[in-house]
Amino acid sequence: MRYSEMFLPTVREVPSDAEVISHQLMIRAGMIRKLTSGIYSYLPLGYRVIRKLEQIIREEMNKAGAQEVFMSMVQPAELWQESGRWIHYGKELLRFRDRHDHEYCLGPTHEEVITSLVRNDIKTYRQLPRNLYQIQTKFRDEVRPRFGVMRCREFGMKDAYSFDVDEEGAEKSYEKMFNAYNNIFRRCGLKFRPVEADSGSIGGKYSHEFMVMADSGEDAMAFCEKCSYAANLEKAEVSSPERKETLEQDWLPLEEVLTPDVRTIEEVSGFLKVDPQNIVKTLIFSGDGKPYAVLIRGDKDINEIKVRNYLNIAELELASDEMIKDVTGAPRGFAGPVKIKIPVLIDYSVMGMVNFVTGANKEDAHFKNVNMGRDFKAEAFADFRVVTENDQCPRCGGDIKLARGIEVGHVFKLGTKYSKAMKAVFLDKDGQEKIMIMGCYGIGIGRTVAAAIEQNNDANGIVWPMPLAPYQVIITPVNVNEASLTETAESLYQAMTAEGIDVIYDDRDERAGVKFKDADLIGIPLRITVGRKDLAEGRVELKIRKTGEVRLCPLDDIVKQVKEMIRQDMDFNIS
Ligand code: ATP
Ligand code: MG
């Protein structure tokens, strides 16, 4: 493509709402433009990257035996009523009515539509397993769209759904997708990790998120330095300790102390001059409307998702001031386990603690020398806390490290959640009617592109990994008014195009410095500069965007060299 003919509006200014670098660079490089909150248009440069990513995804999905379909974005309410999600999905689901007063929604995902499709056309085990996928537009009315296309309202997703006759088959389907996802992100040239994820109310241990490593990522993950254990911080487990009983002879007499207006761990620690490690925090939660107390060592934090999963309830939130007053008899900040009349859940970190400090369930008072077994009952021990750096790996005991990432993909074993509710059944070998076992597998298209930029940029702009680069090469004559330079540039452009290389010929009548800036900003991996002095010696300059390395190459060898470099960069990532 000739630069002079391209719709490639690069800009210098960063829009004020662009907080993260990928958002800023996608706007500045002329890849996207905002239409309205959380809704974007892709310009030619941005859309080329999307198409490259989609191509990699298609190849790997097809290789894994999935077949491509294309379903509607508009979905009838009836299907969502059947699955039960018309009520439960909440405000992210955009609902509307047509002229006949029929209710619809814009699909945020397609479990309902695909299940209705499959239940009508698959009748026997002979037609199973099947895996169907699409690359299609989703709409989620996110509360706070942000970070450009990373968390927007309308976005492209690759979503796949597998249907199997039994658990064993479903596991195989899951594994195939897990491997396909590894291949996809590896081929994109990204640094990523599959991490164990919380599967929430759907249950089951089979859920992995694919995280692109980036400090700016919204998700935190824990991983082991020694083994392959990695999990979303929401899910990351603490290795369960041996049950440690404390010795009765060590227990000091319980003592109530006056602590006026001293509420937080820091305040209590400072006021009573005790280490947070000798304080037990008591948090009161409301779980589906009922109160629960959760105890944890003062220097640790509670992971609410673990509490919610333990209780097997849908909603968990910190109790209101009223509920706290009601169950403890005191205002917020003075709760403790002694004589409390609600279920007490105890984190492993409290195990083995002696003579610790807790709230006294009384305004402006705490207890010293509290001991489990004497002052309150030690029931319901479990892992309720957020994993921290240097915790022990639950699998191998190695050191846990924390990192941040961007969730670009999610593989999920659904079981029979939708097939049961929507009666997707088949006749098995033994003539019995059985429910299909499902899995679902998503990749955010725009988010993956943004994540790639988040991971690959420098002060001058984007640094595309070769497989996603919108163009692989840019040819820049330093002066378009010198015929010898433009003739050479033109013939290189023709030769490379003929070789199937994606190349931009920067034929604009601009200063070389301006062109170089643009080439760096849009992140083209290889730049060829045609200048008078080098050309006189039969050479051109080749600059590698990623390393900054500059080479002088013989003109008659440059096409071959560039082709080889591209091949190496693309093949490197193919398993
Ligand atoms: P998140 O926790 O980030 O909201 P999710 O768990 O809701 O994601 P899924 O329902 O698993 O996401 O969707 C599959 C993929 O779609 C995600 O891994 C992500 O890459 C992408 N995705 C989800 N929501 C958005 C969004 N608002 N904007 C862009 N991409 C999204
Ligand atoms: Mg979401």
Side-chain angles (χ1 to χ4, degrees):
M1 189 87 209
R2 286 166 207 279
Y3 205 129
S4 63
E5 293 168 7
M6 289 171 79
F7 177 43
L8 177 46
T10 58
V11 289
R12 223 159 264 171
E13 303 78 48
V14 177
S16 59
D17 66 339
E19 299 165 57
V20 292
I21 192 75
S22 58
H23 187 190
Q24 295 170 6
L25 287 173
M26 286 179 92
I27 302 272
R28 287 189 50 211
M31 290 179 67
I32 55 167
R33 288 293 180 260
K34 178 163 146 182
L35 178 63
T36 181
S37 169
I39 300 183
Y40 289 84
S41 303
Y42 283 93
L43 277 46
L45 194 79
Y47 197 53
R48 281 184 74 95
V49 182
I50 297 283
R51 300 292 291 188
K52 292 225 167 165
L53 170 61
E54 289 179 351
Q55 181 60 25
I56 292 172
I57 293 176
R58 283 200 170 91
E59 285 172 18
E60 293 299 329
M61 291 305 288
N62 295 345
K63 209 156 84 188
Q67 297 167 64
E68 190 165 5
V69 294
F70 191 78
M71 293 177 278
S72 164
M73 187 187 189
V74 173
Q75 307 184 2
E78 288 78 24
L79 288 181
W80 286 73
Q81 282 151 355
E82 262 188 72
S83 73
R85 286 208 287 188
W86 188 251
I87 296 167
H88 287 123
Y89 209 93
K91 288 193 170 171
E92 262 184 38
L93 190 65
L94 184 66
R95 302 149 208 253
F96 57 95
R97 287 168 191 273
D98 68 5
R99 64 170 78 198
H100 305 295
D101 218 25
H102 291 152
E103 282 190 293
Y104 295 88
C105 63
L106 285 186
T109 173
H110 276 72
E111 282 82 8
E112 281 78 1
V113 176
I114 195 94
T115 308
S116 97
L117 189 79
V118 164
R119 74 175 166 193
N120 291 336
D121 282 290
I122 292 188
K123 303 288 183 201
T124 90
Y125 70 92
R126 284 193 204 90
Q127 296 166 285
L128 292 169
R130 289 291 180 269
N131 186 330
L132 301 172
Y133 78 98
Q134 63 176 349
I135 297 179
Q136 189 260 6
T137 305
K138 304 281 183 262
F139 192 93
R140 295 183 182 180
D141 202 354
E142 297 272 351
V143 200
R144 208 155 76 80
R146 59 190 184 281
F147 309 150
V149 295
M150 198 117 82
R151 181 170 298 285
C152 49
R153 298 197 297 164
E154 185 178 311
F155 58 95
M157 194 199 285
K158 186 289 297 174
D159 45 328
Y161 305 88
S162 63
F163 297 83
D164 276 276
V165 294
D166 55 21
E167 279 298 329
E168 207 188 322
E171 219 152 286
K172 274 197 198 120
S173 296
Y174 184 89
E175 220 169 275
K176 273 191 196 162
M177 286 296 103
F178 185 86
N179 294 334
Y181 275 39
N182 274 309
N183 293 343
I184 289 166
F185 296 117
R186 193 181 310 123
R187 278 187 61 186
C188 288
L190 299 175
K191 287 189 269 311
F192 70 97
R193 261 177 205 278
V195 305
E196 289 178 18
D198 178 55
S199 36
S201 54
I202 294 170
K205 61 178 176 169
Y206 288 99
S207 171
H208 285 90
E209 288 164 346
F210 283 77
M211 298 280 193
V212 165
M213 315 298 284
D215 291 339
S216 59
E218 280 189 292
D219 283 281
M221 67 186 108
F223 63 93
C224 176
E225 282 196 315
K226 250 168 76 188
C227 73
S228 64
Y229 179 73
N232 191 313
L233 198 59
E234 290 179 345
K235 153 97 187 197
E237 303 153 38
V238 171
S239 52
S240 50
E242 299 284 305
R243 186 154 185 148
K244 268 187 279 176
E245 302 293 342
T246 60
L247 299 174
E248 236 170 278
Q249 72 241 35
D250 296 336
W251 297 349
L252 299 174
L254 186 71
E255 187 186 333
E256 189 180 309
V257 285
L258 203 64
T259 52
D261 213 24
V262 171
R263 295 161 199 269
T264 64
I265 292 295
E266 294 75 54
E267 287 165 358
V268 175
S269 161
F271 186 82
L272 294 178
K273 307 223 165 9
V274 287
D275 199 277
Q277 293 194 20
N278 294 324
I279 303 173
V280 167
K281 224 177 343 191
T282 306
L283 290 177
I284 311 291
F285 285 94
S286 165
D288 284 351
K290 284 199 227 111
Y292 297 91
V294 185
L295 304 193
I296 191 162
R297 208 170 80 184
D299 58 335
K300 308 283 183 193
D301 288 312
I302 290 174
N303 178 337
E304 293 185 19
I305 291 169
K306 289 183 180 175
V307 179
R308 198 182 63 203
N309 288 346
Y310 180 87
L311 293 171
N312 196 15
I313 53 174
E315 294 277 337
L316 184 85
E317 53 184 12
L318 278 172
S320 63
D321 287 347
E322 277 158 291
M323 185 184 264
I324 291 174
K325 179 95 200 189
D326 200 45
V327 300
T328 68
R332 187 183 293 277
F334 302 100
V338 182
K339 296 206 177 84
I340 202 160
K341 295 210 172 48
I342 56 175
V344 177
L345 313 182
I346 305 167
D347 179 67
Y348 288 143
S349 60
V350 178
M351 211 182 278
M353 286 177 73
V354 280
N355 302 321
F356 47 87
V357 171
T358 72
N361 295 325
K362 196 167 162 190
E363 183 156 11
D364 295 340
H366 277 77
F367 281 133
K368 275 165 94 167
N369 303 329
V370 180
N371 285 288
M372 214 167 357
R374 179 189 67 191
D375 304 315
F376 67 98
K377 280 227 192 77
E379 289 170 352
F381 265 113
D383 167 21
F384 294 120
R385 76 175 168 88
V386 179
V387 167
T388 49
E389 193 107 352
N390 297 328
D391 267 334
Q392 277 187 357
C393 168
R395 301 277 185 278
C396 78
D399 271 354
I400 287 288
K401 294 285 162 231
L402 301 186
R404 298 201 74 81
I406 300 164
E407 180 204 322
V408 289
H410 198 171
V411 291
F412 215 104
K413 219 173 129 189
L414 284 173
T416 56
K417 183 178 156 87
Y418 298 93
S419 43
K420 195 169 169 195
M422 299 182 66
K423 305 195 182 56
V425 295
F426 65 98
L427 272 190
D428 206 357
K429 270 193 190 109
D430 52 12
Q432 298 284 309
E433 189 178 88
K434 291 190 184 146
I435 302 171
M436 295 179 203
I437 317 278
M438 289 174 61
C440 69
Y441 319 93
I443 293 180
I445 304 293
R447 188 183 285 184
T448 301
V449 170
I453 297 175
E454 211 59 49
Q455 202 175 68
N456 298 282
N457 69 77
D458 63 16
N460 298 320
I462 304 170
V463 185
W464 286 114
M466 190 64 84
L468 294 180
Y471 292 92
Q472 298 157 328
V473 179
I474 184 162
I475 302 171
T476 308
V478 291
N479 183 349
V480 291
N481 300 312
E482 275 185 47
S484 64
L485 303 189
T486 51
E487 275 160 24
T488 303
E490 176 79 36
S491 73
L492 277 180
Y493 170 56
Q494 300 298 349
M496 288 192 180
T497 306
E499 288 287 345
I501 296 170
D502 292 331
V503 54
I504 298 178
Y505 170 25
D506 194 347
D507 58 343
R508 293 174 302 164
D509 188 4
E510 293 276 6
R511 280 186 295 114
V514 171
K515 297 191 190 188
F516 292 158
K517 270 215 163 78
D518 277 336
D520 280 352
L521 174 62
I522 65 177
I524 308 306
L526 302 173
R527 188 184 83 202
I528 295 170
T529 308
V530 186
R532 192 192 305 157
K533 192 165 143 268
D534 291 332
L535 194 59
E537 291 162 16
R539 296 188 301 193
V540 290
E541 187 189 283
L542 174 69
K543 184 167 181 193
I544 301 166
R545 174 75 180 89
K546 190 170 179 175
T547 58
E549 186 197 339
V550 177
R551 297 182 195 167
L552 284 175
C553 302
L555 189 56
D556 55 12
D557 196 42
I558 184 75
V559 179
K560 204 170 128 225
Q561 278 198 29
V562 162
K563 225 177 130 186
E564 180 53 22
M565 288 172 85
I566 293 172
R567 194 190 61 78
Q568 278 181 9
D569 256 8
M570 306 284 278
D571 285 3
F572 175 75
N573 299 307
I574 295 180
S575 55

